[in-house]
């Protein structure tokens, strides 16, 4: 089950095969039980969305590639993940609940427009008014993504339990984080913004977990897309001109844990 961690140069089908009961995507049983090594390009069943979708031009409620998370498992109605990630989240949520751990979803897929509303609200907030533009952007980027660059656009990532770092330091939050660090990988979820001091980009986010069988290939695809195509997305919000100067793609999109990067 943990086979994918030992296969940094290989694909995620090892996990997919396991998650589907020991068979490959097309139903072929796997010999010996638990891993099948196939390169990402050959991986059946992972459709890489077009770049515009990976950069937030998605409409989850109208797109059959996405599926809703039941409202009872969310802090509010209307949350979606890509279908396969949603199904894995439901399995993980159920397993956690059986052990008294609540993985309430606080945020899942966010569109470019949604991210613009978060970003612009922070950009124009009173607390950052006196800052130079680049400092304002860097301050927002401690915890929030520039529109177009959020992993929440992908439909693979979910925030759970609490958005307050301190809540994970003791009590229920600490138990929840410990449960996730022990069990989430059994369901394909990995911690993205880990506490290592040498990881660039965002501050640690104990609440943000990603469905790696999809998100690792998605990150790879994003990194392989042309820089001009990506730059064209960074417009239509306050401070968009700073995307290059804060190194949004290198430092933030790629400032993730080894597990989230597929390393
Ligand atoms: Zn998040």
């Amino acid at each position: 089950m943990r086979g994918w961690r030992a296969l940094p140069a290989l694909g995620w089908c090892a996990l997919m095969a396991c998650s589907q009961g020991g068979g490959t995507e097309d139903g072929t049983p796997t010999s010996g039980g638990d891993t099948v090594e196939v390169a990402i390009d050959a991986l059946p069943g992972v459709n890489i969305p077009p770049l515009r979708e990976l950069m937030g031009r998605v409409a989850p409620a109208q797109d059959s590639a996405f599926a809703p998370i039941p409202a009872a498992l969310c802090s509010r109605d209307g949350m979606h993940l890509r279908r396969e990630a949603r199904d894995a989240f439901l399995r993980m949520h159920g397993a956690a609940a059986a052990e008294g751990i609540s993985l309430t979803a606080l945020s899942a897929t966010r569109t470019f427009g949604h991210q613009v509303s978060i970003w612009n609200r922070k950009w124009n907030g009173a607390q950052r008014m006196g800052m130079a533009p680049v400092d304002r952007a860097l301050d927002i980027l401690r915890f929030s993504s520039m529109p177009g660059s959020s992993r929440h656009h992908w439909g693979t990532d979910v925030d759970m339990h609490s958005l307050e770092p301190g809540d994970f330091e003791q009590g229920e939050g600490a138990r929840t984080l410990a449960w996730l660090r022990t069990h989430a990988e059994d369901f394909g979820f990995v911690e993205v913004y880990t506490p290592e001091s040498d990881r660039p980009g965002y501050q640690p986010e104990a609440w943000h977990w990603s469905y790696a069988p999809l998100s690792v290939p998605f990150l790879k695809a994003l990194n392989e897309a042309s820089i001009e195509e990506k730059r064209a997305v960074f417009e239509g919000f306050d401070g968009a001109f700073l995307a290059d100067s804060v190194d949004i793609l290198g430092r933030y999109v790629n400032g993730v844990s080894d597990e989230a990067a597929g390393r």
Side-chain angles (χ1 to χ4, degrees), residues 9 32 44 65 76 79 92 94-96 102-103 121 124 126 149-150 154 161 164 167 186 242-243 255 257-258:
R76 57 180 162 74
M79 289 190 203
M92 180 169 73
S102 171
L103 300 181
R121 176 169 45 80
N124 294 299
S149 73
S150 174
W154 302 354
H161 187 71
E164 286 295 328
D167 286 350
D186 294 342
L242 293 163
S257 65
D258 286 348

Side-chain angles (χ1 to χ4, degrees), residues 121-131 136 139 142:
R121 176 169 45 80
K122 294 192 170 193
W123 182 270
N124 294 299
Q127 74 182 92
R128 297 186 180 87
M129 266 303 148
M131 294 181 178
R136 204 184 290 198
D139 195 52
R142 294 174 68 238

Side-chain angles (χ1 to χ4, degrees), residues 65-81:
F66 291 81
I69 304 174
L73 311 188
C74 301
S75 61
R76 57 180 162 74
D77 280 352
M79 289 190 203
H80 293 73
L81 289 171

Side-chain angles (χ1 to χ4, degrees), residues 152 159 205 207-208:
H152 283 284
D159 296 335
E205 295 188 0
W207 53 84
H208 185 121

Side-chain angles (χ1 to χ4, degrees), residues 57-116:
R57 270 60 171 194
V58 288
Q62 285 87 48
D63 186 336
S64 63
F66 291 81
I69 304 174
L73 311 188
C74 301
S75 61
R76 57 180 162 74
D77 280 352
M79 289 190 203
H80 293 73
L81 289 171
R82 286 192 187 269
R83 195 164 289 279
E84 186 185 341
R86 192 281 308 258
D87 292 348
F89 175 75
L90 296 187
R91 289 192 291 272
M92 180 169 73
H93 191 285
E99 295 184 44
I101 300 292
S102 171
L103 300 181
T104 301
L106 306 177
S107 193
T109 306
R110 297 201 292 259
T111 65
F112 186 86
H114 187 168
Q115 200 67 29
V116 168

Side-chain angles (χ1 to χ4, degrees), residues 107-108 110 143 145 150-152 157-160 163 193 205 207-209:
S107 193
R110 297 201 292 259
F143 289 109
S145 300
S150 174
R151 295 176 64 96
H152 283 284
D157 287 38
V158 58
D159 296 335
M160 292 175 281
L163 301 177
Y193 304 118
E205 295 188 0
W207 53 84
H208 185 121
W209 291 71

